[in-house]
Amino acid sequence: MSRRVVRQSKFRHVFGQAAKADQAYEDIRVSKVTWDSSFCAVNPKFLAIIVEAGGGGAFIVLPLAKTGRVDKNYPLVTGHTAPVLDIDWCPHNDNVIASASDDTTIMVWQIPDYTPVRNITEPIITLEGHSKRVGILSWHPTARNVLLSAGGDNVIIVWNVGTGEVLLSLDDMHPDVIHSVCWNTNGSLLATTCKDKTLRIIDPRKGQVVAERFAAHEGMRPMRAVFTRQGHIFTTGFTRMSQRELGLWDPNNFEEPVALQEMDTSNGVLLPFYDPDSSIVYLCGKGDSSIRYFEITEEPPFVHYLNTFSSKEPQRGMGFMPKRGLDVSKCEIARFYKLHERKCEPIVMTVPRKSDLFQDDLYPDTPGPEPALEAEEWLSGQDADPVLISLRDGYVPPKHRELRVTKRNILDVRPPSGPRRSQSASDAPLSQHTLETLLEEIKALREQVQAQEQRITSLENMLCELVDGTD
C-alpha cells in the first residue's frame, strides 16, 4: 500500500482569525457604489475607507489605533463632486493617498498625523486628463511620485504627481473597459485585463503590448490579474458556465496555462491579494464571507490550496496591509481589513510557531518606504528593484513627511543633500489658502485648549469646595 506524501511547506498551517470586537472600527457608512474595487486601503499608519457621501464623493481616514466606534462627525476627505471609486496609499510616503472618482479626476491628498478638526477639502494636486470616470489607481512600486490611472475612456495614464504632468498615455491598446491593471515587481511592465476578454502584458514606456492572451478565462464576467515574483501572471475569472476560476500563466508562453482550476459558482469577482515574500495569494470575493488562500510554487500543480478563512458576514470590500505594517512578534504574515455594511474588521493570518524569536524564514527583507528611482530616471528607461528593509526589529513608520511644494509642484519627501539653503525668492511661497487653513487649524486647537483649561479650573474649584466642606 503506497503512502500519500504530504507536501512540505511552512505555510500549510496558516490560519486566519478575526480581531476582537474592541479592535474593529464601528459605525462607518461604507459606500454602496456598484464598483469592483476594494473600497479600502491601509498602510502602517492609517486606514482609509470609501464612504457614503451626499452630493459628492468622500472617504474617511483613521489612524490605525483609533479602533471602536467612530464619531458620526469625524472629519472626511471630501473634494470630489461624484462618488470615489478607488483609493491607494503612496508606497513611499505613508501620509499621501490618491483617490479616483466618477467625476473624471484624480486627487492626491496629504493626511496629517493629528486628527483634523474639519473635513479635508483641498488636495495637494488634482490630475485631469480622463474624459470619463476613473476607476483604477496604482502607484509605481519603485519610482517616486509615479501614479497610474485607468478610466472608463479605456485609457491608461501614467502621471508624475510631483509636477502634475502626464508622463505616458496609453490610449489605443484597449478597445473596451479596463477591469484591472497591475505593475510587476520593478515597475517595468503592466498586466491588464479588459472587457474584450484579453489579458495583456504592456511595456508602458515603449507603448507596446509585448504579449497577450485572448480568453484566459472564457466567461464574460470581469477578470483580474497580478504579477508573481517569478514573473508569472496569476488570474481570476469565470468559465463559460459562470464557474469561478483561477489561472497561472507564463507570459513567454501564453498558449497553455501553467495551472487552471475551477472553484465554485458565484457572481462575485475574486479580488487577488498577492504577497511576494511568501508567494501566497489570497482570494476575496465581493459578497463572499470567506478568504481562500493558495501557495504558488515551482512544483506541480503550481497553485496549491492552503485553507479558507470563513465568517458569517459577507464582505463589501477588503484592505491588505503591506508587510512592514505587520506584527512580526506574533508571526503575522498577512492582515486584512474586511468591510461590512457599517464597520471594518481586521483579520489576521498567522503561522503558528512555538518560539518567540524573530522567524527569518517567514520574513525575508521586504520593500521599505524609500523609492529606488526618481520619476525622470524611470521614464528615461532605468529600472530598479524595490529598496528592501529588514523587519527583524519591527517597523516604525516615520513621522509626518510633508510634501514640499515648489513652483513646479515637486513632491519631495527626501531630505535635500548638502547644506540646507535658505528660502530664496525662486522658492514658491505657501499659498494664501494654505496659510488660511493653518491659521484656522491653530485657532480651533487654541479654542479646544482654552475649553479644557476652563474645565480644569472648574474641577479644581469643585475639589476645593469639597475639601473645605469636609474640614
Side-chain angles (χ1 to χ4, degrees):
M1 194 172 92
S2 63
R3 292 180 62 199
R4 183 162 174 260
V5 178
V6 176
R7 187 179 68 91
Q8 288 297 308
S9 169
K10 58 194 167 209
F11 300 116
R12 273 182 53 224
H13 301 294
V14 171
F15 71 97
Q17 197 165 23
K20 293 188 172 78
D22 61 350
Q23 293 302 302
Y25 306 82
E26 305 272 357
D27 269 4
I28 296 168
R29 292 169 50 213
V30 176
S31 174
K32 293 187 174 71
V33 172
T34 307
W35 191 253
D36 283 328
S37 74
S38 58
F39 283 17
C40 180
V42 62
N43 70 20
K45 282 177 144 181
F46 298 108
L47 169 67
I49 299 168
I50 302 174
V51 293
E52 285 285 284
F59 58 99
I60 191 169
V61 177
L62 300 166
L64 276 193
K66 192 168 178 59
T67 53
R69 189 178 157 279
V70 177
D71 190 288
K72 70 177 190 300
N73 296 318
Y74 194 90
L76 304 176
V77 182
T78 58
H80 288 289
T81 56
V84 176
L85 301 178
D86 199 14
I87 47 178
D88 196 27
W89 287 105
C90 174
H92 307 128
N93 187 335
D94 286 342
N95 292 79
V96 171
I97 189 169
S99 59
S101 169
D102 218 331
D103 67 10
T104 77
T105 68
I106 301 113
M107 293 182 177
V108 181
W109 309 84
Q110 177 97 40
I111 305 298
D113 280 338
Y114 60 86
T115 301
V117 179
R118 51 184 63 81
N119 287 353
I120 299 173
T121 57
E122 288 294 321
I124 304 163
I125 194 164
T126 300
L127 306 172
E128 297 175 313
H130 287 283
S131 60
K132 291 187 178 175
R133 62 163 60 172
V134 187
I136 298 171
L137 288 177
S138 183
W139 291 90
H140 192 282
T142 63
R144 186 197 307 275
N145 295 333
V146 175
L147 177 66
L148 173 150
S149 62
D153 49 9
N154 312 337
V155 175
I156 291 175
I157 299 178
V158 180
W159 308 83
N160 181 345
V161 173
T163 59
E165 297 166 308
V166 173
L167 296 179
L168 302 162
S169 182
L170 310 175
D171 49 12
D172 54 358
M173 294 189 178
H174 299 88
D176 214 325
V177 176
I178 299 162
H179 285 148
S180 75
V181 184
C182 174
W183 296 97
N184 67 347
T185 306
N186 67 2
S188 59
L189 295 172
L190 297 170
T192 71
T193 61
C194 178
K195 194 175 178 181
D196 70 353
K197 301 210 299 193
T198 303
L199 167 64
R200 294 173 174 83
I201 310 301
I202 295 170
D203 183 328
R205 289 168 297 192
K206 290 181 179 169
Q208 290 177 352
V209 176
V210 295
E212 63 182 358
R213 162 75 200 215
F214 176 70
H217 299 281
E218 293 186 342
M220 288 303 297
R221 304 265 304 132
M223 190 168 38
R224 288 282 186 278
V226 291
F227 273 100
T228 71
R229 69 180 181 201
Q230 293 90 358
H232 288 163
I233 313 289
F234 180 88
T235 59
T236 65
F238 293 80
T239 67
R240 198 173 288 160
M241 304 301 292
S242 293
Q243 290 264 109
R244 290 200 292 198
E245 191 173 47
L246 59 83
L248 188 66
W249 306 84
D250 180 353
N252 300 315
N253 178 17
F254 258 154
E255 292 304 309
E256 288 296 320
V258 177
L260 199 62
Q261 294 180 23
E262 285 188 13
M263 291 177 60
D264 59 10
T265 305
S266 177
N267 284 334
V269 174
L270 284 168
L271 305 179
F273 296 93
Y274 176 70
D275 172 20
D277 296 347
S278 62
S279 210
I280 295 178
V281 64
Y282 303 85
L283 302 184
C284 307
K286 273 203 156 185
D288 288 9
S289 53
S290 62
I291 301 171
R292 271 171 276 210
Y293 40 107
F294 299 78
E295 186 177 0
I296 299 172
T297 70
E298 301 288 343
E299 302 86 44
F302 306 107
V303 181
H304 307 269
Y305 171 75
L306 291 173
N307 211 334
T308 300
F309 166 81
S310 295
S311 56
K312 291 176 183 170
E313 298 288 325
Q315 54 230 15
R316 298 279 295 274
M318 195 70 79
F320 187 49
M321 176 66 80
K323 210 46 166 277
R324 56 197 171 91
L326 303 181
D327 186 344
V328 296
S329 69
K330 293 180 180 163
C331 295
E332 256 189 75
I333 62 160
R335 192 188 313 148
F336 290 90
Y337 287 77
K338 172 182 170 179
L339 299 186
H340 298 244
E341 205 168 316
R342 298 281 302 192
K343 74 171 181 179
C344 175
E345 174 186 47
I347 295 167
V348 174
M349 298 288 178
T350 308
V351 176
R353 290 281 166 98
K354 289 186 173 124
S355 169
D356 290 336
L357 299 174
F358 179 72
Q359 306 291 316
D360 303 73
D361 62 324
L362 297 184
Y363 301 106
D365 288 357
T366 196
E370 280 305 312
L373 293 171
E374 297 298 327
E376 296 78 12
E377 293 172 324
W378 177 77
L379 188 63
S380 70
Q382 291 186 46
D383 289 320
D385 287 332
V387 179
L388 303 180
I389 57 170
S390 169
L391 297 178
R392 179 171 289 276
D393 302 315
Y395 172 77
V396 179
K399 289 286 182 194
H400 178 82
R401 301 198 291 180
E402 188 70 40
L403 280 77
R404 291 182 292 122
V405 180
T406 65
K407 66 181 176 185
R408 279 188 64 232
N409 204 18
I410 294 169
L411 315 183
D412 189 9
V413 294
R414 189 181 290 174
S417 56
R420 187 172 177 184
R421 59 194 182 87
S422 59
Q423 179 97 4
S424 67
S426 64
D427 288 337
L430 282 167
S431 70
Q432 188 64 33
H433 176 83
T434 309
L435 285 170
E436 286 170 4
T437 306
L438 285 171
L439 287 168
E440 277 186 27
E441 206 77 60
I442 290 165
K443 183 182 173 187
L445 288 168
R446 279 196 176 130
E447 286 171 0
Q448 287 179 10
V449 170
Q450 282 174 356
Q452 298 290 348
E453 285 175 345
Q454 287 171 3
R455 176 72 177 146
I456 289 166
T457 306
S458 166
L459 289 170
E460 284 173 342
N461 290 339
M462 286 169 65
L463 186 64
C464 289
E465 286 171 12
L466 284 169
V467 170
D468 289 345
T470 54
D471 285 350

